[in-house]
Amino acid sequence: DRPDPPRSLLLSGLSGSSLSLSWLPGFNGGLPQHFRIRVEGPDAPPPPATLVTSGFSVRVGGLRPATPYDVIVSARNARGDSAPLRLRAVTS
């Protein structure tokens, strides 16, 4: 089946130009999964940025200082995508 959404999306670090994020994986649906991370906001690199990782953390750089960004993380396996998990973060 499709994977469950990630859980406990946390902002684990931030600076004027980057955000570090971590999360816990949900049930993978019995298949290998990876995670899609979208960063939406003014001048997100490149607008909007989409990153893919098989890990449970990521650092997103190239952001503007003192700017709000919406971060959306979802899991994906061969059967489809999970529901998204959202976080609003502001660079320092």
Side-chain angles (χ1 to χ4, degrees):
D1 203 12
R2 294 184 333 173
D4 289 344
R7 300 175 288 129
S8 302
L9 179 58
L10 298 173
L11 181 63
S12 54
L14 81 125
S15 72
S17 62
S18 69
L19 301 170
S20 294
L21 308 158
S22 62
W23 59 90
L24 297 173
F27 176 63
N28 64 9
L31 299 167
Q33 70 180 345
H34 59 272
F35 299 92
R36 293 176 11 143
I37 299 94
R38 283 180 61 88
V39 179
E40 298 175 348
D43 298 325
T50 301
L51 307 169
V52 177
T53 182
S54 58
F56 309 130
S57 64
V58 69
R59 181 184 167 278
V60 180
L63 305 176
R64 294 180 54 180
T67 303
Y69 290 92
D70 290 316
V71 180
I72 302 109
V73 179
S74 61
R76 171 177 269 189
N77 68 17
R79 302 270 172 124
D81 293 338
S82 73
L85 186 60
R86 295 178 172 268
L87 173 78
R88 168 66 62 122
V90 180
T91 52
S92 60

